[in-house]
Amino acid sequence: MMYQYDEIDKTLVKERVDQYRDQVARRMRGELSEEEFRPLRLRNGLYMQLHAYMLRVAIPYGLLSSTQLRKLALIAREYDRGYGHFTTRQNIQYNWPNLEDTPDILDHLAEVEMNAIQTSGNVNRNVTSDPYAGVARDEIEDPRPYCEIVRQFLTLHPEFSFLPRKFKVAVTAAETDRAAINVHDIGLRIVKNDAGEVGFKVLVGGGLGRTPFIGKVIRDFLPKEELLRYLQAILRVYNMEGRRDNLFKARIKILVHELGTERFTEKIEAEYEASKSDTRLLMDGIEEDRIRAFFTPPTYESLSDDAPDVDAEAAGNPAFADWLNRNVVAHKQPGYAIVNISLKPMGEAPGDATAEQMDAVADLADQYSLGHLRVTHRQNLVLADVRKQDLVALWKALVALDFATPNIERITDIISCPGLDYCNLATARSIPVAQRISQRFADMKRQYDIGEIRINISGCINACGHHHVGHIGILGLEKNGEESYQITLGGSSDVDADIGKRIGPAFASEDVVDAVETLVNTYLDIRQDGERFLDTYRRVGQDPFKERLYAAY
Amino acid sequence: MPLIKDGAVAEDSWTTVGEDDPIPGGKAVIVGLTRWKDSADDLSGHNGPLGVRLKSDEPPELIAKDLGRFDLIALEFPNFNDGRAFSYARLLRERYRFTGEIRAVGDVLQDQLFFMRRCGFDSLELKEGRNVDTAIDALGDFTVAYQPASDEKDAPVKVRDWASN
């Protein structure tokens, strides 16, 4: 079900916390200046935000046990203001910890086999994956053993701990891309070749930020056992040749872009060939099998895929039926279902959860989903192993927690960064815009009429809210002391990934929600049968949207 | 400047000479890459140990053919964030099989020393004013590691084996 630390993992995390505790003590005694302390705390996930420190904790590939979630709740209650914020990269952030408490928080995390190692800084970050990994019907095999292998390999890597810039890896094995691998520094897709062997398709150089790119395929098929050698080649070339003269050009996507995909690929392949005599990283299956064993599917009950109680409830209860249609997904095991918990009740901040809510979800995970849950890239939670016969009871419990809003992949399922309310990089607020859009479109009937649509909001050009890949993207900027919002259309982080295009001049804060509504109404007027917002946009282009949008102003 | 070698403070027997400085006969000297490229023939007559100092944009590939001539290679960290030399050190050890001394020079932080040793550095020159004692302690911050590197034979750490050989 889940990787468990052995002596090496435990020792490493403990030694890391000890090292950090000493660094904090040196800082508190004044032996380290803030300037000297900065790179050290960053490597342990501690940022200086607008009002206070922010601690980012990794949730490797989004997988959590109920015990771990209760610990996250305890930290929220005892060391923060009672809540945490789930991010687009399957992390959780605490916005109000005291510096002197942070080593104790890391001790708490270590107790439940968690850490904040490399959640910031110019290093490899949390390895992310499909929130339905291991239970999805459309996957070739469970990608999580490879996520764990990559996590370990790139943790405190002696050669790659001072990269030109941050580095993000995502892995998926499914046809539908729920991990946004196209917009990661390295995207790995588990594929089968003609001979039926399983390996990786390797994408490099995707990313958002101020220069967005879709990742380029540099290998159609990499044999599984070569994974670490190939990763080492990519990271080594990047470490030696990535730009270090300009912070904004230091990501690997710029290296790929400047060299061209062909030249870049040649360099990687040459380095890979040259390192082939070193067999230490050639996975021979022993360590791989050890790790894979942790992800053996649970013993499922033998159940019928028919659930008459559920059908009966859905027939007589439209609210339940909506939830069932929207938030519940088919499971590979008959008689089971995947349940999305929406962290986006109408008018609330996307991704936030209180300590009480976390405890309650942990109880639900124990009661209904084999004690585990997942955090999604779209800032929701997932109970992945729910018996269909339990769906009605689970729905009632979620309704009581205000976690049953049936809006997954609908207009109020908004991705948003923390924005100017918290972040000192931000140029505008983003959460309040998300809240206002959520209120404007609160009517569920209207949401269903609009259908699948992704709105992503970032509070600055760094694009933590992934606005470039929203069907509608909103970027908050500051102009003459006023917040303004630029709109992009046509982005996607799915298999049909694309970077959205700017539609025109930015909107004032009080006009941006009207603008979104105008875009949506335009789509409703001109869509053809079965078209999503994105499909209509791709068919007709910007003009019809642009005309309506700017005619009004 | 304080020098750490084999986990202890060490005397520095090497002299770094500038582009136009005379080469002191019989002494252990370190020259820059330009000087080496311009006057390799003159330096071949030097009757003492010879080292070369590479800047962070000078990969070891540039001296690959000459490695047999050097007893020491100093890799420069212009600032602690510039991690190119970590790769250079590993390439020198693992690809070019350089067996002489590899020294880290420049803006070296104590919190990097553990990584440096794993990448094949065996001497570390700290900036003036940095605390040598805490730096030596920092070499022992970790007793385990997740990945093989250049320190395998005498690794002070327990390393996760990906392959069983």
Side-chain angles (χ1 to χ4, degrees):
Chain A
M1 291 285 291
M2 173 172 230
Y3 182 73
Q4 282 166 7
Y5 283 10
D6 69 358
E7 274 315 301
I8 290 188
D9 303 289
K10 281 183 192 161
T11 307
L12 186 136
V13 170
K14 185 190 175 301
E15 289 175 346
R16 180 60 158 194
V17 176
D18 290 346
Q19 182 193 42
Y20 176 71
R21 187 179 288 281
D22 177 60
Q23 289 162 351
V24 170
R26 278 151 63 203
R27 173 75 191 108
M28 307 283 291
R29 287 197 301 266
E31 291 168 25
L32 281 177
S33 67
E34 174 54 26
E35 192 192 359
E36 290 169 314
F37 181 54
R38 188 173 172 276
L40 308 178
R41 65 170 161 76
L42 279 179
R43 270 146 216 288
N44 287 288
L46 194 68
Y47 281 78
M48 181 72 97
Q49 290 276 38
L50 211 52
H51 310 290
Y53 282 110
M54 180 273 275
L55 182 69
R56 182 183 292 150
V57 176
I59 301 171
Y61 34 96
L63 184 60
L64 274 178
S65 69
S66 56
T67 308
Q68 290 173 327
L69 184 57
R70 286 195 188 91
K71 187 61 98 174
L72 296 178
L74 177 144
I75 292 168
R77 194 179 294 117
E78 293 191 5
Y79 297 98
D80 203 281
R81 297 187 178 173
Y83 63 96
H85 177 80
F86 291 101
T87 77
T88 55
R89 294 210 73 261
Q90 299 178 317
N91 298 302
I92 184 168
Q93 295 181 177
Y94 295 105
N95 285 302
W96 307 98
N98 292 320
L99 174 61
E100 60 270 34
D101 289 336
T102 50
D104 292 340
I105 297 176
L106 298 186
D107 271 341
H108 274 292
L109 291 170
E111 278 174 28
V112 295
E113 305 188 355
M114 295 183 78
N115 62 69
I117 297 171
Q118 294 179 198
T119 53
S120 58
N122 296 335
V123 285
N124 184 62
R125 306 288 188 85
N126 190 24
V127 178
T128 55
S129 189
D130 184 347
Y132 303 163
V135 293
R137 282 197 176 166
D138 63 345
E139 84 183 2
I140 289 175
E141 67 171 65
D142 192 341
R144 294 172 302 174
Y146 300 99
C147 296
E148 177 58 27
I149 287 169
V150 173
R151 179 193 79 81
Q152 293 192 22
F153 177 60
L154 292 178
T155 295
L156 303 187
H157 195 293
E159 183 181 348
F160 306 132
S161 284
F162 294 87
L163 295 170
R165 199 72 183 84
K166 61 187 169 183
F167 204 83
K168 301 173 182 180
V169 181
V171 190
T172 186
E175 274 167 37
T176 308
D177 184 352
R178 288 170 290 256
I181 65 162
N182 282 289
V183 290
H184 278 77
D185 295 279
I186 294 181
L188 298 172
R189 173 181 290 284
I190 295 180
V191 291
K192 255 187 195 155
N193 67 7
D194 294 341
E197 296 156 335
V198 175
F200 297 95
K201 181 185 252 193
V202 183
L203 288 81
V204 179
L208 301 173
R210 60 187 70 207
T211 347
F213 284 107
I214 298 299
K216 311 290 187 298
V217 177
I218 66 162
R219 256 278 180 154
D220 283 311
F221 187 83
L222 178 73
K224 266 179 167 183
E225 61 272 19
E226 296 287 346
L227 177 63
L228 296 185
R229 290 214 283 213
Y230 206 77
L231 287 184
Q232 175 180 273
I234 296 170
L235 279 147
R236 182 169 285 162
V237 169
Y238 172 53
N239 191 42
M240 295 197 294
E241 302 198 22
R243 286 183 63 170
R244 292 176 185 267
D245 59 326
N246 181 339
L247 186 68
F248 302 122
K249 298 188 170 178
R251 294 287 290 269
I252 197 171
K253 62 191 175 186
I254 304 293
L255 182 64
V256 176
H257 178 69
E258 288 183 350
L259 286 172
T261 309
E262 197 179 332
R263 181 88 193 89
F264 176 83
T265 309
E266 281 168 16
K267 278 178 182 282
I268 302 301
E269 292 288 332
E271 172 55 37
Y272 169 61
E273 282 300 320
S275 59
K276 269 193 162 171
S277 60
D278 181 357
T279 57
R280 295 173 303 172
L281 291 179
L282 182 67
M283 290 194 292
D284 67 349
I286 293 178
E287 180 60 17
E288 192 183 334
D289 287 348
R290 182 185 80 85
I291 289 178
R292 189 194 306 284
F294 289 108
F295 297 94
T296 312
T299 320
Y300 290 113
E301 293 169 46
S302 215
L303 300 170
S304 160
D305 213 32
D306 298 326
D309 292 357
V310 172
D311 297 343
E313 182 74 18
N317 180 345
F320 175 75
D322 284 347
W323 178 79
L324 190 64
N325 285 331
R326 225 19 16 254
N327 294 18
V328 180
V329 177
H331 194 288
K332 68 175 185 187
Q333 179 73 18
Y336 283 80
I338 302 170
V339 172
N340 283 278
I341 298 178
S342 170
L343 289 186
K344 295 150 189 183
M346 294 313 139
E348 295 297 323
D352 275 5
T354 65
E356 292 68 32
Q357 286 171 324
M358 288 188 237
D359 278 335
V361 171
D363 290 345
L364 293 177
D366 281 339
Q367 196 173 352
Y368 297 113
S369 191
L370 307 174
H372 290 80
L373 71 154
R374 291 101 185 279
V375 179
T376 82
H377 144 66
R378 293 198 63 85
Q379 300 178 286
N380 292 311
L381 302 178
V382 164
L383 296 177
D385 292 299
V386 179
R387 295 188 305 183
K388 282 188 172 177
Q389 62 199 55
D390 292 334
L391 284 172
V392 178
L394 174 59
W395 173 72
K396 286 178 180 161
L398 289 171
V399 168
L401 293 167
D402 204 10
F403 273 167
T405 310
N407 62 349
I408 299 297
E409 294 179 356
R410 291 299 174 262
I411 195 164
T412 57
D413 186 5
I414 299 169
I415 289 184
S416 170
C417 72
L420 192 56
D421 294 305
Y422 296 103
C423 179
N424 58 359
L425 298 173
T427 41
R429 287 172 295 170
S430 38
I431 288 174
V433 175
Q435 290 170 316
R436 280 156 51 209
I437 293 172
S438 174
Q439 284 153 2
R440 178 73 61 94
F441 290 95
D443 176 11
M444 285 314 307
K445 246 180 88 184
R446 190 175 175 207
Q447 289 196 40
Y448 293 154
D449 183 33
I450 297 164
E452 181 187 332
I453 187 167
R454 314 282 170 94
I455 296 187
N456 295 357
I457 308 174
S458 304
C460 80
I461 200 162
N462 291 305
C464 296
H466 296 192
H467 64 276
H468 296 296
V469 289
H471 298 179
I472 297 178
I474 300 175
L475 165 63
L477 297 168
E478 183 259 306
K479 220 163 75 185
N480 309 322
E482 298 279 316
E483 289 168 309
S484 71
Y485 294 86
Q486 215 170 66
I487 293 181
T488 52
L489 295 183
S492 167
S493 65
D494 206 328
V495 185
D496 58 357
D498 204 356
I499 302 297
K501 297 212 171 34
R502 213 183 79 173
I503 181 121
F507 293 88
S509 180
E510 61 269 26
D511 296 328
V512 67
V513 181
D514 290 338
V516 169
E517 194 166 26
T518 303
L519 291 168
V520 170
N521 287 338
T522 309
Y523 152 71
L524 292 174
D525 291 344
I526 63 175
R527 70 177 164 186
Q528 295 178 350
D529 277 356
E531 274 184 346
R532 302 171 300 163
F533 178 91
L534 183 65
D535 303 324
T536 302
Y537 172 80
R538 285 182 173 172
R539 177 172 56 82
V540 303
Q542 279 200 339
D543 289 348
F545 291 97
K546 207 166 175 169
E547 278 164 26
R548 283 275 288 274
L549 195 55
Y550 292 100
Y553 297 94
Chain B
M1 276 170 282
L3 185 75
I4 298 176
K5 203 175 168 181
D6 300 324
V9 183
E11 276 299 310
D12 189 358
S13 56
W14 290 83
T15 308
T16 302
V17 295
E19 291 303 320
D20 304 314
D21 296 342
I23 304 286
K27 287 263 178 65
V29 296
I30 303 172
V31 299
L33 179 66
T34 315
R35 178 121 189 208
W36 168 252
K37 291 283 183 199
D38 289 350
S39 48
D41 290 342
D42 298 345
L43 287 166
S44 66
H46 175 65
N47 58 353
L50 185 64
V52 67
R53 178 177 173 126
L54 299 180
K55 295 194 170 72
S56 67
D57 60 355
E58 296 170 344
E61 205 182 334
L62 300 173
I63 51 162
K65 289 198 191 72
D66 312 326
L67 284 175
R69 307 281 297 277
F70 301 119
D71 303 284
L72 176 147
I73 297 170
L75 299 176
E76 201 173 297
F77 288 79
N79 60 69
F80 69 86
N81 271 320
D82 186 338
R84 283 177 276 193
F86 288 104
S87 289
Y88 298 163
R90 284 197 69 182
L91 287 177
L92 283 169
R93 288 289 185 233
E94 295 174 50
R95 188 154 307 159
Y96 300 113
R97 302 286 164 195
F98 180 70
T99 54
E101 180 173 336
I102 302 180
R103 176 175 294 192
V105 297
D107 189 10
V108 174
L109 275 188
Q110 75 169 57
D111 307 85
Q112 296 178 305
L113 302 188
F114 174 77
F115 292 147
M116 285 174 176
R117 184 155 74 179
R118 295 213 66 218
C119 286
F121 287 96
D122 37 20
S123 66
L124 318 154
E125 187 184 282
L126 289 184
K127 255 185 169 175
E128 208 59 71
R130 302 235 192 221
N131 189 325
V132 188
D133 296 330
T134 57
I136 289 171
D137 287 347
L139 279 169
D141 275 353
F142 294 94
T143 60
V144 291
Y146 276 135
Q147 56 294 98
S150 302
D151 58 345
E152 234 186 21
K153 271 185 260 68
D154 50 358
V157 295
K158 182 169 166 45
V159 175
R160 174 93 73 223
D161 278 331
W162 297 104
S164 62
N165 50 344

